[in-house]
Amino acid sequence: AQKITQTQPGMFVQEKEAVTLDCTYDTSDQSYGLFWYKQPSSGEMIFLIYQGSYDEQNATEGRYSLNFQKARKSANLVISASQLGDSAMYFCAMTLLMNRDDKIIFGKGTRLHILP
Amino acid sequence: KAGVTQTPRYLIKTRGQQVTLSCSPISGHRSVSWYQQTPGQGLQFLFEYFSETQRNKGNFPGRFSGRQFSNSRSEMNVSTLELGDSALYLCASSRNWDTSSGNTIYFGEGSWLTVV
């Protein structure tokens, strides 16, 4: 069965420091996509970054980068120079190209607190 | 460009009533999917529509239904509401139904449903 594991329920980080949010995934499919979303208290799920299973280079989007280690089935999100506005819930998610049952499989999330 | 729009944002219903939530996808997006988010169960997939056809359905009772119109707008309906249906309902859209690179999935702000 497909599964996303986020082992950090909560994190406290000082402003301007870099942050790494952990994500491991489990699937026997070869074709899949990995997403990170940010969810502030308002509820909106904001797309941050995407990594395809066949992409050889790690994805980057501004201050966000995805540390993709396929052999370890790891897709950690790195936020450089954290800001107060980064305080939110962060979800790692996976989609499977062939298994269409669940569309997106989400982890339980990590609540990130940025301290001034 | 306009993002995914969900209405209403907040609503309160009583047990036994029914509710209809609306979702307007990003222009040009033909796939719409719905998710339920609760503190206990996390994010769970409800169903997905593409070109007015339901492609996938999650593990929810028949009280949960949806449809998609020719302009890709989608509605979901919950009949005979139960207290446990209180949740944030998120709608997401993507250009196509597949999860190939570049077919990013974008979410709306969600509809907060409280059943009393």
Side-chain angles (χ1 to χ4, degrees):
Chain A
Q2 282 66 227
K3 189 178 178 181
I4 293 279
T5 302
Q6 294 181 253
T7 57
Q8 306 151 311
M11 286 185 70
F12 289 83
V13 174
Q14 209 67 41
E15 189 181 8
K16 299 180 184 175
E17 288 185 351
V19 181
T20 298
L21 304 180
D22 295 340
C23 172
T24 57
Y25 58 93
D26 187 17
T27 180
S28 56
D29 285 40
Q30 297 301 309
S31 299
Y32 51 88
L34 296 160
F35 295 82
W36 276 94
Y37 289 91
K38 171 185 178 181
Q39 188 178 43
S41 55
S42 62
E44 181 184 8
M45 197 75 79
I46 302 167
F47 166 76
L48 295 178
I49 198 165
Y50 169 86
Q51 179 88 38
S53 59
Y54 294 116
D55 295 339
E56 294 186 353
Q57 290 197 327
N58 287 343
T60 59
E61 291 282 352
R63 294 187 299 114
Y64 304 105
S65 61
L66 198 153
N67 184 0
F68 182 46
Q69 298 188 37
K70 195 171 181 176
R72 297 179 58 186
K73 293 188 174 179
S74 167
N76 296 342
L77 175 71
V78 180
I79 307 174
S80 63
S82 58
Q83 303 170 357
L84 294 177
D86 294 334
S87 294
M89 196 75 170
Y90 288 80
F91 290 95
C92 179
M94 176 170 63
T95 59
L96 304 176
L97 183 61
M98 299 307 294
N99 178 355
R100 308 297 297 130
D101 288 347
D102 291 326
K103 185 65 176 181
I104 305 178
I105 303 157
F106 286 92
K108 294 196 178 297
T110 296
R111 184 166 295 282
L112 176 63
H113 304 269
I114 304 298
L115 304 172
Chain B
K1 60 181 178 182
V4 179
T5 305
Q6 290 187 246
T7 57
R9 283 279 285 141
Y10 305 92
L11 67 166
I12 300 173
K13 293 285 188 178
T14 56
R15 277 181 298 176
Q17 285 188 313
Q18 67 94 26
V19 66
T20 299
L21 307 178
S22 180
C23 173
S24 293
I26 292 171
S27 177
H29 286 194
R30 296 165 62 192
S31 172
V32 174
S33 50
W34 289 88
Y35 303 82
Q36 182 196 64
Q37 186 177 22
T38 60
Q41 299 298 319
L43 281 149
Q44 293 184 288
F45 170 73
L46 280 158
F47 27 66
E48 178 194 7
Y49 288 87
F50 181 80
S51 293
E52 301 178 65
T53 302
Q54 186 180 89
R55 289 192 56 86
N56 290 296
K57 190 176 192 302
N59 188 25
F60 278 82
R63 301 185 295 107
F64 291 81
S65 63
R67 59 178 176 169
Q68 186 180 35
F69 303 96
S70 58
N71 61 358
S72 295
R73 190 177 70 84
S74 177
E75 289 181 347
M76 68 162 283
N77 184 276
V78 187
S79 62
T80 320
L81 284 165
E82 301 176 0
L83 295 179
D85 297 332
S86 295
L88 174 65
Y89 290 87
L90 288 160
C91 168
S93 78
S94 57
R95 191 168 298 278
N96 295 306
W97 64 268
D98 68 281
T99 56
S100 58
S101 178
N103 189 32
T104 301
I105 300 168
Y106 296 93
F107 285 80
E109 292 184 306
S111 293
W112 293 90
L113 170 65
T114 302
V115 181
V116 297

